[in-house]
Amino acid sequence: MILKATSLVLLSFVGFAPVAIAQADRADSMFERDRNVSVQQRPRPDYTAGGVQNGAFLFYPELTLGLEFTDNVFGTSANEESDTIAILRPALNFDTTWSRHALSGDISATRREHFDYSDESVWNYTGGLGGQLDINREANINAGLRYSNLTEPRTSAGAAGQAAEPIEYDAWTSFIGAERAAGRVKLQGRFDFNTFDYDDAPLFGGGIADQDFRDREVYILSARGDVAISPDTAVFGRLRYNERAYDLAPPSVPILRDSEGYIFDVGADFDIRGMARGMIGIGYTEQDYDSAAFENIDGLSIEGQVEWFPTQLTTVTFNASRSVEDSAIAGSGGFFATSAGVNVDHELRRNVIVSAGFSLSEDDYSGIDRTDERLNITAGVTYFLNRTAGIRASYNYLDQDSSGAAGNQDYTKNMIGLSLVLRR
């Protein structure tokens, strides 16, 4: 049913017009948001890798070599253990030089080698492919696919802190969407299909941290309509419906974790030259669980990011979000994840960028008495040596206060990193 609805949405948005117009013809669109350029996005021809061209394809190979020190490997409140981690990350990105349509992709592998706690050492892999088909100057179809083999941080809720080895998982994410912008009106439709497969891990002291109860498929169908009130500002309404289907059901697990929900929000996106740009959406969300053992979750939803440009050399970015997420704790179906933060990027010199930021977040679990509050502080310096090399130094402070009868994960963690990035 959801696949049939997706097909109808995409066809109605795109229409049936001949392929003829290049992307460049959209420069006067009411929905272009490129009037401002952030510090991180600013072109630096003297310090930007040129890539390797093969026909219409541009390839960008990259190698990162780094060292990271942490004073709390396992994210514990007592008996903290420190370690140094060596990081190796080869990566390859590619893009096309076509005048219309687009295709891009990336692949990377990351090795994190712990000097003292070798069982914490992991390989992670990710690769993705995305593209856009231009139907005409008003409409396009876009799609993407990504595979990731990832490792849960030790600070994650659930069994991550008690497992004798890091918990790894595979994630497939994919989407297909369509967009049509004509005059002051833009319509968008999109269908996402994501899967998550978690590996079991041994526990400290014996036993297995069985994670099969978290394996699931997630379907998301979304529709959005924008109306431009000027060339730099538009208002929108958006509806996103989701289904979360878990692989295991009773009697294999005690409780069925399947659910369905939606987010409806309204907001605005804007790009006011020399001042600010961003998107803010505020609305209502509800997630209903099939099992009566889990309480339904509903309330305010927020999604926003605003970049402020006090000078051409400084970008201040504000972020805020509030959404319902699936829980990694067996006794809870989900939780409200709320966060807000600010980050400052300053171009000290053309090839030197200093950054600093902080964020506050809260995870309020449903069905159990637990609330996790976190403070995250970051700072960093990026130094571009030339087109092919750069150095990055960073600091990260994380403090979590876990309250309630089921809250047992208080910790503080400091991380210092230094990396060399080589590009072609």
Side-chain angles (χ1 to χ4, degrees):
M1 182 67 183
I2 195 169
L3 292 174
K4 182 178 179 181
T6 301
S7 300
L8 293 174
V9 168
L10 297 183
L11 289 175
S12 63
F13 279 9
V14 173
F16 297 94
V19 176
I21 307 298
Q23 289 179 339
D25 292 338
R26 302 176 187 161
D28 59 348
S29 168
M30 298 287 284
F31 301 96
E32 291 293 333
R33 298 294 180 256
D34 56 2
R35 295 172 178 82
N36 291 288
V37 179
S38 68
V39 168
Q40 294 287 357
Q41 294 178 327
R42 182 168 298 131
R44 296 175 176 84
D46 294 337
Y47 302 100
T48 302
V52 179
Q53 187 162 2
N54 185 355
F57 289 85
L58 273 171
F59 296 90
Y60 300 92
E62 183 177 289
L63 177 65
T64 300
L65 304 170
L67 284 174
E68 181 182 290
F69 171 81
T70 176
D71 65 354
N72 195 350
V73 175
F74 301 101
T76 57
S77 58
N79 302 317
E80 297 94 336
E81 300 291 345
S82 62
D83 202 356
T84 301
I85 306 105
I87 300 171
L88 171 68
R89 183 180 181 272
L92 177 66
N93 298 348
F94 79 85
D95 205 344
T96 56
T97 59
W98 303 332
S99 60
R100 60 182 176 90
H101 312 311
L103 181 66
S104 62
D106 64 89
I107 186 170
S108 67
T110 303
R111 175 64 176 179
R112 293 179 59 85
E113 182 68 36
H114 285 248
F115 287 15
D116 295 330
Y117 295 93
S118 58
D119 287 346
E120 298 299 300
S121 301
V122 294
W123 276 104
N124 290 144
Y125 309 93
T126 185
L129 189 66
Q132 177 175 300
L133 175 66
D134 295 317
I135 305 303
N136 56 25
R137 69 174 299 172
E138 298 178 348
N140 67 73
I141 296 174
N142 49 82
L145 174 67
R146 174 168 295 279
Y147 165 75
S148 301
N149 170 259
L150 302 172
T151 303
E152 272 202 321
R154 282 294 189 174
T155 52
S156 295
Q162 290 76 45
E165 297 177 1
I167 294 176
E168 298 185 14
Y169 65 99
D170 296 321
W172 285 93
T173 59
S174 59
F175 75 91
I176 182 169
E179 175 183 309
R180 183 170 186 176
R184 292 180 175 268
V185 178
K186 180 169 70 172
L187 300 176
Q188 296 172 285
R190 173 165 161 156
F191 173 67
D192 290 71
F193 174 61
N194 307 323
T195 68
F196 302 90
D197 184 6
Y198 289 81
D199 294 342
D200 299 340
L203 289 168
F204 289 117
I208 296 294
D210 188 346
Q211 298 296 291
D212 291 339
F213 76 95
R214 300 172 64 187
D215 298 346
R216 62 192 184 274
E217 293 86 41
V218 179
Y219 308 83
I220 305 172
L221 181 61
S222 60
R224 170 172 165 166
D226 293 56
V227 177
I229 57 178
S230 73
D232 53 28
T233 305
V235 294
F236 69 84
R238 176 173 54 178
L239 177 64
R240 288 168 284 179
Y241 168 79
N242 74 79
E243 291 183 5
R244 304 175 184 181
Y246 281 76
D247 293 355
L248 298 183
S252 299
V253 291
I255 303 174
L256 181 65
R257 301 178 68 84
D258 291 1
S259 68
E260 63 179 356
Y262 68 90
I263 304 173
F264 174 71
D265 59 357
V266 295
D269 74 77
F270 53 91
D271 191 351
I272 304 171
R273 188 186 301 274
M275 293 181 58
R277 68 176 176 184
M279 185 278 292
I280 302 173
I282 299 176
Y284 177 81
T285 182
E286 181 174 327
Q287 198 70 26
D288 297 331
Y289 294 87
D290 290 2
S291 172
F294 293 135
E295 298 177 357
N296 295 337
I297 306 175
D298 64 275
L300 177 71
S301 74
I302 301 173
E303 181 182 351
Q305 176 176 294
V306 175
E307 293 175 309
W308 172 44
F309 306 96
T311 73
Q312 292 186 350
L313 300 179
T314 304
T315 302
V316 182
T317 304
F318 302 91
N319 292 283
S321 66
R322 191 169 194 260
S323 60
V324 177
E325 305 296 336
D326 285 339
S327 170
I329 302 174
S332 173
F335 61 93
F336 251 123
T338 306
S339 67
V342 60
N343 188 80
V344 180
D345 295 306
H346 179 71
E347 190 176 284
L348 193 63
R349 296 179 60 182
R350 191 67 171 170
N351 63 327
V352 179
I353 298 173
V354 294
S355 304
F358 78 92
S359 65
L360 297 171
S361 60
E362 178 186 89
D363 295 341
D364 186 8
Y365 287 84
S366 175
I368 60 174
D369 183 16
R370 174 169 175 165
T371 301
D372 295 342
E373 297 178 339
R374 286 181 298 277
L375 167 66
N376 189 206
I377 299 174
T378 60
V381 178
T382 302
Y383 176 33
F384 299 100
L385 299 172
N386 50 45
R387 288 189 175 188
T388 60
I391 297 174
R392 169 74 175 171
S394 64
Y395 170 72
N396 187 299
Y397 171 78
L398 185 59
D399 182 359
Q400 175 169 296
D401 178 18
S402 185
S403 61
N408 60 353
Q409 203 172 356
D410 296 344
Y411 64 85
T412 60
K413 186 173 185 176
N414 292 275
M415 290 167 286
I416 301 173
L418 182 64
S419 60
L420 170 67
V421 181
L422 304 174
R423 300 165 297 181
R424 175 68 187 275

